Structure formats: C-alpha cells, structure tokens
Amino acid sequence: MEPGGLEWLLVPMQQLVSWGAAGAMVFGGVVPYIPQYRDIRRTQNAEGFSTYVCLVLLVANILRILFWFGRRFESPLLWQSIIMIITMLLMLKLCTEVRVSNELNVKRRSFAAADSKDEEIKAPPKRSYLGSSLLQRNHICHSRRTYLDCFQHPGRQRVRF
C-alpha cells in the first residue's frame, strides 16, 4: 500500500469533524435554553427564569460582534453570537408575554372577586412611597409647633407670619 492511499479518506473525515465541532460551537450555547423555553411555554410560569441573565448575554454577544469588526476571528464564533442574540430575544419575548398574561389574570381575578361575595381574593392596596411618607410627615407635624416647620429644608430660613 502506498502512503497516500488513505488521504482520500482522512481529508473528508477531518473536514467533517471540523464542521461538526463548528456546529457544536454555534448551537451548543442554545441547547440549554430549549428545555427552559418549552417548560415556560407549557406551564405559563416564568418565575424561575432570570431576565438579568438574558441581559448579560445580550450585552456580551453584542460586544463580541462589535469586536469582530475591529479584529476578525473565526466565523463560527460570530454565528454563535448571532444565534445567541436571537435566542435571548426569543426568551425575553416569551417571559414578557407570560408575566404580562399572569398579571392580567391576577387583576381579573381580583376584579371578579370584588364583585362576588363568595371569593376572598383581593389585591393588596397599592401605596406610593410619596403618599405614605407625606402622611407620616403630616402625622408627625401635628404634634409640633407649625406645619411649615415640618417641610422646611435644612439650610433655609423659617417662614414666619
């Protein structure tokens, strides 16, 4: 047998392994998100999924693409970034839709509960920080000398009548 006899088999095998490794690199980052996507869609519950992870991965992949314009690197890494950005946008879209629909369902249930006397589901009263702090300050001010003293800022002179 001559030494070049197996080269016709080795060259295509090396190319096949190279393409397989590039495909694994491109799609390997997406694979863990497939079960999460399916689970969130099936249960309509996105509480365990962090959107901050999506934000970090979006920023990292966008920076990688911007870096590619300055200094070219292997194209499978560029494709990996593009596919990860698409994946993160799909995950954010799904999580946003699920969270909005869950909030609407809770509001509908609390609205329906307000009409019926049998159900005890009620939404907690929403209080703004500004409103509650003004009420507390107002309560404290009644025990002091004047109302204007309570709203006086440090460094300003008192208003006297």
Side-chain angles (χ1 to χ4, degrees), residues 11-34:
V11 172
M13 288 297 284
Q14 286 176 342
Q15 202 163 26
L16 184 65
V17 169
S18 175
W19 286 347
M25 225 180 342
V26 169
F27 295 106
V30 176
V31 171
Y33 291 99
I34 295 171

mmCIF file of all heavy atoms in Angstrom, residues 11-34:
data_model
loop_
_atom_site.group_PDB
_atom_site.id
_atom_site.type_symbol
_atom_site.label_atom_id
_atom_site.label_comp_id
_atom_site.label_asym_id
_atom_site.label_seq_id
_atom_site.Cartn_x
_atom_site.Cartn_y
_atom_site.Cartn_z
ATOM 1 N N VAL A 11 -8.881 13.310 4.589
ATOM 2 C CA VAL A 11 -9.220 14.710 4.326
ATOM 3 C C VAL A 11 -10.721 14.962 4.511
ATOM 4 O O VAL A 11 -11.105 15.905 5.211
ATOM 5 C CB VAL A 11 -8.719 15.137 2.924
ATOM 6 C CG1 VAL A 11 -9.239 16.517 2.554
ATOM 7 C CG2 VAL A 11 -7.201 15.107 2.866
ATOM 8 N N PRO A 12 -11.594 14.160 3.939
ATOM 9 C CA PRO A 12 -13.025 14.401 4.198
ATOM 10 C C PRO A 12 -13.418 14.169 5.662
ATOM 11 O O PRO A 12 -14.299 14.865 6.184
ATOM 12 C CB PRO A 12 -13.745 13.408 3.290
ATOM 13 C CG PRO A 12 -12.770 13.002 2.267
ATOM 14 C CD PRO A 12 -11.424 13.161 2.885
ATOM 15 N N MET A 13 -12.764 13.226 6.323
ATOM 16 C CA MET A 13 -13.066 12.983 7.738
ATOM 17 C C MET A 13 -12.661 14.179 8.598
ATOM 18 O O MET A 13 -13.396 14.569 9.503
ATOM 19 C CB MET A 13 -12.365 11.715 8.233
ATOM 20 C CG MET A 13 -12.964 10.427 7.707
ATOM 21 S SD MET A 13 -14.650 10.207 8.253
ATOM 22 C CE MET A 13 -14.389 9.724 9.915
ATOM 23 N N GLN A 14 -11.494 14.756 8.310
ATOM 24 C CA GLN A 14 -11.061 15.941 9.053
ATOM 25 C C GLN A 14 -12.015 17.104 8.816
ATOM 26 O O GLN A 14 -12.342 17.848 9.741
ATOM 27 C CB GLN A 14 -9.641 16.331 8.642
ATOM 28 C CG GLN A 14 -8.574 15.427 9.181
ATOM 29 C CD GLN A 14 -7.194 15.809 8.671
ATOM 30 O OE1 GLN A 14 -7.060 16.515 7.678
ATOM 31 N NE2 GLN A 14 -6.172 15.324 9.361
ATOM 32 N N GLN A 15 -12.456 17.256 7.600
ATOM 33 C CA GLN A 15 -13.390 18.335 7.291
ATOM 34 C C GLN A 15 -14.737 18.092 7.981
ATOM 35 O O GLN A 15 -15.363 19.023 8.492
ATOM 36 C CB GLN A 15 -13.573 18.448 5.789
ATOM 37 C CG GLN A 15 -14.055 19.793 5.357
ATOM 38 C CD GLN A 15 -13.848 20.019 3.885
ATOM 39 O OE1 GLN A 15 -13.790 19.071 3.097
ATOM 40 N NE2 GLN A 15 -13.762 21.274 3.508
ATOM 41 N N LEU A 16 -15.173 16.856 8.014
ATOM 42 C CA LEU A 16 -16.427 16.506 8.682
ATOM 43 C C LEU A 16 -16.341 16.772 10.187
ATOM 44 O O LEU A 16 -17.270 17.349 10.784
ATOM 45 C CB LEU A 16 -16.777 15.043 8.416
ATOM 46 C CG LEU A 16 -18.106 14.549 8.977
ATOM 47 C CD1 LEU A 16 -19.257 15.276 8.302
ATOM 48 C CD2 LEU A 16 -18.227 13.045 8.792
ATOM 49 N N VAL A 17 -15.223 16.410 10.802
ATOM 50 C CA VAL A 17 -15.022 16.667 12.234
ATOM 51 C C VAL A 17 -14.949 18.179 12.486
ATOM 52 O O VAL A 17 -15.509 18.685 13.477
ATOM 53 C CB VAL A 17 -13.760 15.943 12.749
ATOM 54 C CG1 VAL A 17 -13.386 16.413 14.140
ATOM 55 C CG2 VAL A 17 -13.955 14.445 12.725
ATOM 56 N N SER A 18 -14.304 18.906 11.593
ATOM 57 C CA SER A 18 -14.213 20.362 11.739
ATOM 58 C C SER A 18 -15.593 21.007 11.659
ATOM 59 O O SER A 18 -15.921 21.891 12.452
ATOM 60 C CB SER A 18 -13.293 20.923 10.652
ATOM 61 O OG SER A 18 -13.279 22.318 10.687
ATOM 62 N N TRP A 19 -16.416 20.582 10.713
ATOM 63 C CA TRP A 19 -17.772 21.114 10.601
ATOM 64 C C TRP A 19 -18.621 20.736 11.804
ATOM 65 O O TRP A 19 -19.430 21.524 12.280
ATOM 66 C CB TRP A 19 -18.442 20.624 9.332
ATOM 67 C CG TRP A 19 -17.938 21.264 8.071
ATOM 68 C CD1 TRP A 19 -17.154 22.370 7.962
ATOM 69 C CD2 TRP A 19 -18.193 20.807 6.750
ATOM 70 N NE1 TRP A 19 -16.897 22.633 6.655
ATOM 71 C CE2 TRP A 19 -17.524 21.682 5.879
ATOM 72 C CE3 TRP A 19 -18.888 19.738 6.212
ATOM 73 C CZ2 TRP A 19 -17.557 21.536 4.503
ATOM 74 C CZ3 TRP A 19 -18.922 19.595 4.835
ATOM 75 C CH2 TRP A 19 -18.268 20.480 4.001
ATOM 76 N N GLY A 20 -18.454 19.509 12.279
ATOM 77 C CA GLY A 20 -19.200 19.077 13.472
ATOM 78 C C GLY A 20 -18.828 19.896 14.703
ATOM 79 O O GLY A 20 -19.698 20.288 15.486
ATOM 80 N N ALA A 21 -17.518 20.171 14.864
ATOM 81 C CA ALA A 21 -17.072 20.984 16.001
ATOM 82 C C ALA A 21 -17.587 22.418 15.876
ATOM 83 O O ALA A 21 -18.012 23.026 16.867
ATOM 84 C CB ALA A 21 -15.549 20.974 16.097
ATOM 85 N N ALA A 22 -17.570 22.948 14.650
ATOM 86 C CA ALA A 22 -18.083 24.306 14.444
ATOM 87 C C ALA A 22 -19.579 24.357 14.727
ATOM 88 O O ALA A 22 -20.079 25.304 15.351
ATOM 89 C CB ALA A 22 -17.788 24.771 13.022
ATOM 90 N N GLY A 23 -20.327 23.334 14.297
ATOM 91 C CA GLY A 23 -21.767 23.284 14.573
ATOM 92 C C GLY A 23 -22.054 23.174 16.056
ATOM 93 O O GLY A 23 -22.985 23.795 16.577
ATOM 94 N N ALA A 24 -21.236 22.373 16.759
ATOM 95 C CA ALA A 24 -21.410 22.253 18.213
ATOM 96 C C ALA A 24 -21.108 23.576 18.899
ATOM 97 O O ALA A 24 -21.765 23.946 19.882
ATOM 98 C CB ALA A 24 -20.513 21.149 18.759
ATOM 99 N N MET A 25 -20.120 24.306 18.388
ATOM 100 C CA MET A 25 -19.788 25.601 18.973
ATOM 101 C C MET A 25 -20.918 26.611 18.735
ATOM 102 O O MET A 25 -21.256 27.391 19.617
ATOM 103 C CB MET A 25 -18.495 26.133 18.332
ATOM 104 C CG MET A 25 -17.543 26.668 19.324
ATOM 105 S SD MET A 25 -15.983 27.331 18.693
ATOM 106 C CE MET A 25 -15.736 26.741 17.097
ATOM 107 N N VAL A 26 -21.482 26.589 17.529
ATOM 108 C CA VAL A 26 -22.522 27.558 17.185
ATOM 109 C C VAL A 26 -23.809 27.281 17.964
ATOM 110 O O VAL A 26 -24.410 28.195 18.535
ATOM 111 C CB VAL A 26 -22.788 27.534 15.663
ATOM 112 C CG1 VAL A 26 -24.032 28.323 15.320
ATOM 113 C CG2 VAL A 26 -21.591 28.083 14.912
ATOM 114 N N PHE A 27 -24.240 26.030 18.002
ATOM 115 C CA PHE A 27 -25.531 25.707 18.603
ATOM 116 C C PHE A 27 -25.427 25.198 20.034
ATOM 117 O O PHE A 27 -26.452 25.003 20.687
ATOM 118 C CB PHE A 27 -26.262 24.674 17.743
ATOM 119 C CG PHE A 27 -26.628 25.199 16.392
ATOM 120 C CD1 PHE A 27 -25.920 24.794 15.264
ATOM 121 C CD2 PHE A 27 -27.647 26.116 16.243
ATOM 122 C CE1 PHE A 27 -26.248 25.284 14.016
ATOM 123 C CE2 PHE A 27 -27.977 26.618 15.001
ATOM 124 C CZ PHE A 27 -27.271 26.194 13.876
ATOM 125 N N GLY A 28 -24.236 25.005 20.542
ATOM 126 C CA GLY A 28 -24.065 24.477 21.899
ATOM 127 C C GLY A 28 -24.565 25.414 22.976
ATOM 128 O O GLY A 28 -25.059 24.971 24.012
ATOM 129 N N GLY A 29 -24.475 26.715 22.756
ATOM 130 C CA GLY A 29 -24.959 27.668 23.755
ATOM 131 C C GLY A 29 -26.474 27.772 23.804
ATOM 132 O O GLY A 29 -27.040 28.216 24.802
ATOM 133 N N VAL A 30 -27.133 27.372 22.729
ATOM 134 C CA VAL A 30 -28.588 27.488 22.634
ATOM 135 C C VAL A 30 -29.288 26.275 23.261
ATOM 136 O O VAL A 30 -30.397 26.395 23.778
ATOM 137 C CB VAL A 30 -29.002 27.648 21.154
ATOM 138 C CG1 VAL A 30 -30.498 27.669 20.991
ATOM 139 C CG2 VAL A 30 -28.383 28.902 20.583
ATOM 140 N N VAL A 31 -28.639 25.133 23.218
ATOM 141 C CA VAL A 31 -29.266 23.875 23.642
ATOM 142 C C VAL A 31 -29.844 23.934 25.061
ATOM 143 O O VAL A 31 -30.966 23.472 25.275
ATOM 144 C CB VAL A 31 -28.260 22.706 23.472
ATOM 145 C CG1 VAL A 31 -28.781 21.430 24.097
ATOM 146 C CG2 VAL A 31 -27.940 22.499 22.004
ATOM 147 N N PRO A 32 -29.160 24.524 26.064
ATOM 148 C CA PRO A 32 -29.762 24.550 27.410
ATOM 149 C C PRO A 32 -31.044 25.379 27.510
ATOM 150 O O PRO A 32 -31.846 25.174 28.429
ATOM 151 C CB PRO A 32 -28.672 25.174 28.290
ATOM 152 C CG PRO A 32 -27.413 25.036 27.537
ATOM 153 C CD PRO A 32 -27.790 25.017 26.101
ATOM 154 N N TYR A 33 -31.256 26.282 26.580
ATOM 155 C CA TYR A 33 -32.442 27.134 26.655
ATOM 156 C C TYR A 33 -33.673 26.481 26.035
ATOM 157 O O TYR A 33 -34.791 26.940 26.262
ATOM 158 C CB TYR A 33 -32.164 28.489 26.001
ATOM 159 C CG TYR A 33 -31.191 29.293 26.812
ATOM 160 C CD1 TYR A 33 -29.839 29.337 26.478
ATOM 161 C CD2 TYR A 33 -31.613 29.973 27.936
ATOM 162 C CE1 TYR A 33 -28.951 30.049 27.246
ATOM 163 C CE2 TYR A 33 -30.723 30.690 28.710
ATOM 164 C CZ TYR A 33 -29.393 30.718 28.363
ATOM 165 O OH TYR A 33 -28.511 31.416 29.121
ATOM 166 N N ILE A 34 -33.496 25.428 25.264
ATOM 167 C CA ILE A 34 -34.642 24.758 24.635
ATOM 168 C C ILE A 34 -35.571 24.149 25.689
ATOM 169 O O ILE A 34 -36.783 24.395 25.648
ATOM 170 C CB ILE A 34 -34.164 23.722 23.594
ATOM 171 C CG1 ILE A 34 -33.465 24.449 22.444
ATOM 172 C CG2 ILE A 34 -35.324 22.883 23.084
ATOM 173 C CD1 ILE A 34 -32.761 23.527 21.466
#
